[in-house]
Amino acid sequence: MTIVEPDPVVTPLETADRPRRDPISVLPAWARFSLYATVLVLLLTIAEQVTGQSRLTSTNTWSSALQLTIPIALAGLGGLWAERAGVINIGLEGMMILGTWMGAWGGIEYGPWAGVALGVLGGALGGLLHAIVTVGFGVDHIVSGVVINILAAGVTQFLNLEVFDSTNQSPAIPENVAEIRIPGLNDVVGGIVGGDLTDASVLVWLVVSVVLLVATALLFHPGGRAGGDEPAAPAPAGGEGAAPTDGARDRRLPPAVRTLARPALLTVLGVVVALCLIELAPYMDGQQRFFISEVGRIIEGLTDELSLIVVIGVLAFPATALILWRTKFGLRLRACGEDPVAAESLGVNVYLMKVVAVVVSGGLAGLGGVSLVYLFAQKYQSGQTNGRGYIGLAANIFGNWRPGGLALGAGLFGFTDALSLQSGGTTRSLLLVVAMGTVLLVARAAWTRRWRAAVVTGVAGLAAYLWFRAIDELPGEIVIFLPHITTLLVLTFASQRLRPPAAIGRAYRRGDSG
């Protein structure tokens, strides 16, 4: 006799306590980041109006923030490559140190671009050492990384003493890499069609591009009518004459079109929107209107007089996303970080993938060290990295091992680093920004019925507001350590939603059964 279990009865109280889906999480990545950026600028604008401080959205502040973001972002991107392959890279700090000295020495001896290449090579050599020790000999990843950090600091000081007769710094590099201004729509399109585009015509371009961007995102979404990846629906009963379903029609598109059509269209339209905003930035800045002028100043700060090293660092993010998430090589590399035994069973050379990932990781960290030399000091200095390799690792964790989240975390650290160079009154305004931001976070947590998170966030926001009302400016000691304090707070509040690669830090030997 078969016993049928009755369906569980769900009470209204249990239904009310069940978490809701976060409405923001259903948005595509580009829409989420656009929303976050808009909300951030709005909060900064309100804080400026309340406090009378104008440095939060000034052109110089955001230009400095971008430059200070690049070393952290490149170090974090290096950590992403290594850890996506399953290798923890605590040695990012040491690889950055190697990049600083090699970059300065190469710039002095052979010129700026040779210095950049040698700095990347120095970091890659540190990555190769880490790969040999961890992947080849199975040494604990944390131990190897700490040793590389200590070794790099000592080796660079020794080399500097031998070459430049100083343990603290090198001579200044005689020549730096070039700076460029990111062109606007008028520079690109106006040169093709002839003449100059008016502000009104650029606005038309912007509106049309945004509409097409949203339409493309909706019509070409995965599983949609124009090339989704969902399996075809079964044909309806009734025979061979039945009309093909949308899924069947999707399968008629070549695989390359289905895979690349949406990213390509979104990229082209996104570039057009960015060119329009760059062209309109001076016009927006001159309007002296709430929010509009602040957006214009920020865009000017992020696009005017950029070192080519900054441009390379920014382009490294879409390149990483394309390689790791859109190629077979990237799929195999990420498989080594999730389940190396399964990857080996499918014919993947796990050792090779891990070594390549860690060497690339070191090269990116070395480029981050080069950026410290070429963007700021113009020479090698002892202690130049100042823990930015560790902050980059924290930014990678904050970004959940994704390039977009990593860029957001690195930008947050770079912005607070830039504000730490301002007066205490300007940094005091950040407390008001934090207080207003926590109101939005509490509302989001309440909507998703995460009551504990709502209470904790609310208490933190109230404390930030009371602190803002109680002081006239932040103490200098807190201002100096503002980036490190931000790192600790971000990791504390982001730790609940993290999903690291499943096999990260795990020792692997060929032929293991799992």
Side-chain angles (χ1 to χ4, degrees), residues 70-71 74 95 99 116 119-120 123 309 312-313 316 362-372:
I70 290 299
L74 287 172
M95 297 168 198
V116 172
V120 173
I309 291 182
I312 294 172
L364 289 169
L367 182 59
V370 170
S371 68
L372 288 172

Side-chain angles (χ1 to χ4, degrees), residues 204-380:
V204 173
W205 274 80
L206 178 61
V207 172
V208 172
S209 301
V210 170
V211 171
L212 291 176
L213 183 66
V214 174
T216 301
L218 294 176
L219 295 178
F220 285 79
H221 64 86
R225 294 181 179 272
D229 297 327
E230 295 294 329
E240 302 174 356
T245 62
D246 290 338
R249 284 195 294 269
D250 292 344
R251 290 302 180 188
R252 293 179 180 178
L253 294 174
V257 174
R258 286 189 286 108
T259 303
L260 298 176
R262 181 175 181 269
L265 284 172
L266 289 176
T267 300
V268 171
L269 292 171
V271 168
V272 174
V273 171
L275 292 176
C276 292
L277 292 174
I278 293 171
E279 190 66 42
L280 290 171
Y283 170 77
M284 297 165 67
D285 186 12
Q287 292 299 300
Q288 299 299 319
R289 294 184 179 179
F290 178 81
F291 184 73
I292 300 297
S293 297
E294 284 76 12
V295 172
R297 288 196 293 270
I298 291 173
I299 294 175
E300 286 184 296
L302 295 177
T303 58
D304 194 24
E305 298 299 325
L306 297 181
S307 169
L308 286 176
I309 291 182
V310 173
V311 176
I312 294 172
V314 171
L315 293 179
F317 278 82
T320 293
L322 178 65
I323 294 171
L324 293 186
W325 275 269
R326 293 285 177 179
T327 65
K328 292 181 180 179
F329 168 80
L331 177 62
R332 291 166 181 163
L333 187 146
R334 289 186 291 117
C336 295
E338 297 292 342
D339 193 337
V341 176
E344 180 191 4
S345 69
L346 296 175
V348 177
N349 189 334
V350 177
Y351 285 133
L352 178 62
M353 287 293 170
K354 287 178 176 287
V355 170
V356 169
V358 180
V359 170
V360 173
S361 171
L364 289 169
L367 182 59
V370 170
S371 68
L372 288 172
V373 174
Y374 283 70
L375 297 179
F376 302 105
Q378 317 295 321
K379 58 185 175 182
Y380 161 79

Side-chain angles (χ1 to χ4, degrees), residues 31-358:
R32 288 200 305 272
F33 289 127
S34 299
L35 177 62
Y36 295 152
T38 302
V39 171
L40 174 62
V41 176
L42 182 60
L43 294 179
L44 293 174
T45 304
I46 295 174
E48 282 189 342
Q49 297 294 321
V50 172
T51 62
Q53 298 286 342
S54 61
R55 304 292 296 177
L56 290 177
T57 60
S58 69
T59 300
N60 290 336
T61 297
W62 282 86
S63 178
S64 300
L66 178 60
Q67 292 183 356
L68 289 165
T69 296
I70 290 299
I72 298 172
L74 287 172
L77 199 61
L80 185 147
W81 271 82
E83 297 187 358
R84 274 294 176 179
V87 180
I88 300 174
N89 194 354
I90 295 293
L92 291 170
E93 179 81 5
M95 297 168 198
M96 287 187 74
I97 294 173
L98 292 173
T100 58
W101 191 86
M102 293 288 287
W105 174 72
I108 294 170
E109 296 292 335
Y110 304 107
W113 287 111
V116 172
L118 287 171
V120 173
L121 177 61
L125 289 175
L128 179 61
L129 176 62
H130 187 50
I132 292 173
V133 171
T134 56
V135 179
F137 295 102
V139 174
D140 183 87
H141 299 184
I142 305 297
V143 173
S144 173
V146 172
V147 169
I148 287 176
N149 292 337
I150 298 172
L151 186 65
V155 166
T156 52
Q157 288 193 11
F158 170 76
L159 291 174
N160 203 67
L161 179 62
E162 290 295 315
V163 176
F164 300 120
D165 197 27
S166 172
T167 58
N168 296 326
Q169 62 183 17
S170 70
I173 56 176
E175 184 182 359
N176 210 325
V177 298
E179 294 183 346
I180 64 170
R181 175 190 176 274
I182 305 300
L185 187 69
N186 191 44
D187 301 318
V188 177
V189 178
I192 298 175
V193 301
D196 293 332
L197 299 176
T198 63
D199 292 332
S201 61
V202 177
L203 283 172
V204 173
W205 274 80
L206 178 61
V207 172
V208 172
S209 301
V210 170
V211 171
L212 291 176
L213 183 66
V214 174
T216 301
L218 294 176
L219 295 178
F220 285 79
H221 64 86
R225 294 181 179 272
D229 297 327
E230 295 294 329
E240 302 174 356
T245 62
D246 290 338
R249 284 195 294 269
D250 292 344
R251 290 302 180 188
R252 293 179 180 178
L253 294 174
V257 174
R258 286 189 286 108
T259 303
L260 298 176
R262 181 175 181 269
L265 284 172
L266 289 176
T267 300
V268 171
L269 292 171
V271 168
V272 174
V273 171
L275 292 176
C276 292
L277 292 174
I278 293 171
E279 190 66 42
L280 290 171
Y283 170 77
M284 297 165 67
D285 186 12
Q287 292 299 300
Q288 299 299 319
R289 294 184 179 179
F290 178 81
F291 184 73
I292 300 297
S293 297
E294 284 76 12
V295 172
R297 288 196 293 270
I298 291 173
I299 294 175
E300 286 184 296
L302 295 177
T303 58
D304 194 24
E305 298 299 325
L306 297 181
S307 169
L308 286 176
I309 291 182
V310 173
V311 176
I312 294 172
V314 171
L315 293 179
F317 278 82
T320 293
L322 178 65
I323 294 171
L324 293 186
W325 275 269
R326 293 285 177 179
T327 65
K328 292 181 180 179
F329 168 80
L331 177 62
R332 291 166 181 163
L333 187 146
R334 289 186 291 117
C336 295
E338 297 292 342
D339 193 337
V341 176
E344 180 191 4
S345 69
L346 296 175
V348 177
N349 189 334
V350 177
Y351 285 133
L352 178 62
M353 287 293 170
K354 287 178 176 287
V355 170
V356 169
V358 180

Side-chain angles (χ1 to χ4, degrees), residues 461-500:
L462 179 61
Y465 178 73
L466 294 177
W467 192 8
F468 166 77
R469 294 298 302 268
I471 62 175
D472 293 327
E473 62 178 37
L474 280 178
E477 296 79 7
I478 294 179
V479 171
I480 293 174
F481 288 99
L482 193 59
H484 303 82
I485 295 173
T486 304
T487 303
L488 294 175
L489 292 177
V490 164
L491 289 181
T492 300
F493 286 100
S495 60
Q496 301 300 319
R497 61 172 184 83
L498 300 178
R499 187 204 170 277

